[in-house]
Amino acid sequence: MSKGTICDTVAALVEYAVANELIGEEERIYSTNLLLDVLKISDYEYTLSDKEIKEKSEDLEELLKEACDHAYENGLIEENSTAYRDLFDTRVMNCLVPRPSTVISTFKEKYNISPREATDYYYKLSTASDYIRSYRIKKDIKWLADTKYGALDITINLSKPEKDPKAIAAAGRAKQSGYPKCLLCMENEGYAGRLDHPARENHRIIPVDICGEKWGFQYSPYVYYNEHCILLNSKHVPMTIHRGAFEKLFDFLRQFPHYMICSNADLPIVGGSILSHEHFQGGRYEFPMARAKVESTFKIKGYEDVEAMIMYWPLSVIRIRSVDPKRLVDLADHILGKWRAYTDEEAFIFAETDGVPHNTITPIARKKGDHYEMDLTLRNNITTEDRPLGVYHPRNEYHHIKKENIGCIEVMGLAILPSRLKTELEILKEYILKGKDIRSDEMIEKHADWVEEFLPKYEGRLNEDSISDIIRYEVGQVFMGVLEDAGVFKCTEEGRRYFKRFTDSL
């Protein structure tokens, strides 16, 4: 890349920052000099006209590509791979992002107008700063799949970069670090990153008070749904579901009533991917579970003023509803205590085996009008010789589509499926339409039993126009089955009898 070209890139990056309100007009020279230092440019003179610079500034992905190309060509990064480039372009963007104190001050000013105005500002900043890589998020594949429980959200996640083999090997050779302790620690703010830990130099965290404790509010860089946010404890303490967790969920809703908020369960298998750090997930999004039908209602002694209902949902969900969030906390704590200790051998529910606890809850909270709601999803992580990954975990027959733990996002009806499916499903379409042997291809042979099971339903209806819709529908049915496997009380006559036996015990 020529000297003039990279200088044009620098000018366009600064123009981008001004246009997206990351920096003010008076910070052009300062930000330009920061970029020149990071890119090791000693002489600066751009060749494009101001109009051309403005046009060039509209494509951030291309600008960062040019910056990384320059870095590789000039020995500023060792390998021309996604891992190395992501570390470098994050450093580039940090030259254009306001300091934490400025972001926090602006957020507070906006919050005094309204919570929504504050989050609008912060979300825009998180995307403009490239902390949320919007151009990658757009590549995610999304669709709705009709099921007997209503439409489920299906996504194939393509925004989380695949790990490069060379980067993995280099990370293995590097000196291991325990700082930050995990991806959710406050110390990630501004961290330069390593090959085994993403760069967060362009990341800013908003401090919030949750039940008198210091917490951090941020967005997920992968945005699995609209304004996907994370609320994280400032201390590195483990996840735990107890009364205090319910109180924290509602304290967040008090401050940000336009968002929903949920927590992963606190036990392995049924918990999320990071159990070592207490955190919740929220956002401005209506999940399929929020639209679920009410199957039946019931009263709980001492809480007759609180609506309680069993939801028609593949997992076992009790929804409680009231205008008073404290009453919901009281009742949620009561239900949790009963569930923690609940055993029903006939239903294969065991509170513990050999002193190891199995019962917990995945809670979801939201505000609708003047009422607060909490969905209490009953979870159990018991394993057997036949089901070593969990009795209430996706069965082996579904692992070709989804085998990971079912966390709170999936519980609410949004599938986060692996990126490999993009290629696999495209190849599968071709094999189905041409009548080729699916078992002959190593990449897609895992799908053979599944296809053989559903294909007869579509005899005479398979063609170029219908195959995509058919595949997407059937993927949705698999995800529905995955969620049903996670349900402790099945949506059958027998399962509902067991469910009622539990609610009667409350």
Side-chain angles (χ1 to χ4, degrees):
M1 181 176 288
S2 69
K3 178 181 139 185
T5 303
I6 189 59
C7 288
D8 292 337
T9 302
V10 170
L13 280 167
V14 174
E15 179 61 34
Y16 167 88
V18 172
N20 285 275
E21 300 179 330
L22 291 173
I23 62 173
E25 187 66 42
E26 62 273 24
E27 295 172 294
R28 275 186 186 272
I29 295 174
Y30 174 80
S31 300
T32 298
N33 286 329
L34 291 179
L35 288 171
L36 295 179
D37 178 57
V38 168
L39 293 164
K40 302 305 175 192
I41 301 170
S42 55
D43 294 319
Y44 177 63
E45 184 176 354
Y46 59 90
T47 60
L48 297 178
S49 67
D50 289 347
K51 181 182 178 182
E52 289 171 323
I53 290 294
K54 284 184 183 294
E55 291 173 352
K56 186 177 178 66
S57 72
E58 294 172 2
D59 189 347
L60 179 62
E61 183 180 14
E62 181 60 26
L63 293 176
L64 293 176
K65 177 183 178 299
E66 291 172 2
C68 288
D69 288 345
H70 167 84
Y72 179 64
E73 291 165 8
N74 290 272
L76 303 181
I77 55 177
E78 295 178 36
E79 296 280 350
N80 195 24
S81 66
T82 300
Y84 282 94
R85 292 170 76 94
D86 280 1
L87 291 172
F88 187 80
D89 68 16
T90 303
R91 188 178 172 203
V92 167
M93 286 306 299
N94 188 46
C95 298
L96 306 170
V97 183
R99 289 293 183 96
S101 59
T102 301
V103 175
I104 293 166
S105 176
T106 304
F107 184 89
K108 288 179 178 178
E109 289 174 9
K110 302 285 186 181
Y111 188 89
N112 287 334
I113 300 171
S114 77
R116 182 169 293 191
E117 186 144 342
T119 56
D120 283 350
Y121 156 75
Y122 183 43
Y123 189 71
K124 180 183 176 184
L125 177 124
S126 298
T127 54
S129 68
D130 206 45
Y131 165 70
I132 296 172
R133 296 175 184 261
S134 300
Y135 44 86
R136 288 184 182 170
I137 305 295
K138 289 176 182 176
K139 296 175 183 177
D140 290 349
I141 300 171
K142 303 179 180 182
W143 72 90
L144 292 176
D146 287 332
T147 74
K148 60 186 179 182
Y149 303 102
L152 299 179
D153 292 332
I154 312 296
T155 68
I156 297 177
N157 182 258
L158 304 174
S159 55
K160 203 168 186 176
E162 299 285 340
K163 293 195 175 180
D164 178 73
K166 287 185 178 179
I168 293 172
R173 294 191 298 269
K175 182 180 178 181
Q176 296 302 300
S177 171
Y179 178 89
K181 290 181 180 178
C182 78
L183 293 170
L184 295 176
C185 284
M186 299 283 278
E187 288 79 10
N188 281 279
E189 185 178 41
Y191 186 62
R194 313 181 298 268
L195 290 174
D196 63 347
H197 193 108
R200 292 289 183 256
E201 287 173 292
N202 57 347
H203 181 33
R204 303 293 181 261
I205 299 175
I206 304 296
V208 290
D209 183 291
I210 300 293
C211 294
E213 297 177 359
K214 183 181 177 183
W215 282 59
F217 173 71
Q218 65 176 52
Y219 289 105
S220 165
Y222 307 116
V223 195
Y224 293 138
Y225 51 87
N226 187 49
E227 295 183 37
H228 178 186
C229 67
I230 300 174
L231 189 67
L232 49 96
N233 197 319
S234 63
K235 298 177 182 177
H236 185 74
V237 294
M239 296 284 294
T240 178
I241 299 299
H242 60 323
R243 181 186 180 88
F246 302 141
E247 290 173 336
K248 291 167 187 173
L249 293 177
F250 283 112
D251 195 27
F252 175 83
L253 280 186
R254 177 184 62 81
Q255 298 177 64
F256 301 95
H258 58 299
Y259 276 8
M260 51 70 57
I261 186 79
C262 64
S263 174
N264 274 308
D266 55 353
L267 295 179
I269 297 177
V270 296
S273 57
I274 302 179
L275 294 177
S276 61
H277 195 123
E278 185 180 23
H279 69 285
F280 307 129
Q281 298 185 72
R284 196 191 304 187
Y285 191 70
E286 184 180 61
F287 284 87
M289 178 192 270
R291 301 188 295 270
K293 295 178 181 177
V294 175
E295 184 176 312
S296 61
T297 61
F298 62 99
K299 292 292 183 182
I300 300 173
K301 187 176 180 180
Y303 301 92
E304 290 84 359
D305 57 313
V306 179
E307 297 177 64
M309 56 206 88
I310 291 175
M311 307 307 296
Y312 183 61
W313 192 246
L315 288 99
S316 308
V317 180
I318 296 173
R319 177 171 295 169
I320 53 178
R321 190 167 183 265
S322 173
V323 293
D324 183 358
K326 186 180 182 305
R327 291 296 286 160
L328 295 184
V329 169
D330 291 341
L331 180 50
D333 186 44
H334 171 74
I335 294 172
L336 174 65
K338 291 286 188 179
W339 178 242
R340 291 276 197 201
Y342 190 74
T343 291
D344 184 338
E345 294 187 16
E346 186 184 0
F348 206 78
I349 301 295
F350 295 88
E352 58 86 22
T353 54
D354 300 324
V356 178
H358 297 306
N359 290 347
T360 186
I361 279 176
T362 299
I364 300 104
R366 66 183 75 86
K367 188 178 184 187
K368 284 190 172 182
D370 294 331
H371 283 75
Y372 290 89
E373 293 180 351
M374 176 167 271
D375 290 346
L376 302 169
T377 310
L378 307 179
R379 312 297 301 274
N380 180 287
N381 75 344
I382 194 169
T383 61
T384 63
E385 287 186 10
D386 292 339
R387 300 288 290 272
L389 296 178
V391 172
Y392 304 106
H393 180 83
R395 68 188 74 176
N396 290 344
E397 300 95 287
Y398 295 147
H399 288 185
H400 64 105
I401 297 292
K402 174 79 174 176
K403 67 178 180 180
E404 296 80 10
N405 292 349
I406 304 305
C408 58
I409 295 174
E410 288 92 355
V411 163
M412 294 184 289
L414 191 157
I416 304 169
L417 303 180
S419 59
R420 61 175 172 82
L421 286 176
K422 178 179 185 286
T423 301
E424 291 175 10
L425 296 182
E426 285 300 319
I427 296 172
L428 204 56
K429 291 177 193 176
E430 178 193 344
Y431 272 58
I432 291 173
L433 289 174
K434 294 183 177 179
K436 295 166 72 173
D437 181 12
I438 293 170
R439 298 183 194 278
S440 68
D441 189 303
E442 189 176 296
M443 182 179 286
I444 62 171
E445 62 177 340
K446 65 175 81 71
H447 300 297
D449 290 344
W450 172 54
V451 173
E452 288 172 3
E453 183 180 340
F454 75 68
L455 211 53
K457 296 188 294 185
Y458 301 99
E459 188 174 351
R461 289 187 285 156
L462 280 173
N463 53 56
E464 290 276 0
D465 295 329
S466 66
I467 188 63
S468 291
D469 287 342
I470 288 171
I471 291 289
R472 288 187 168 196
Y473 174 79
E474 293 298 337
V475 168
Q477 302 312 296
V478 170
F479 181 56
M480 178 187 75
V482 162
L483 296 184
E484 288 179 327
D485 277 358
V488 294
F489 299 120
K490 307 306 179 188
C491 291
T492 61
E493 185 177 337
E494 180 183 58
R496 278 1 215 180
R497 178 165 54 84
Y498 296 149
F499 202 166
K500 187 176 185 302
R501 194 148 69 195
F502 171 66
T503 57
D504 285 347
S505 74
L506 298 173

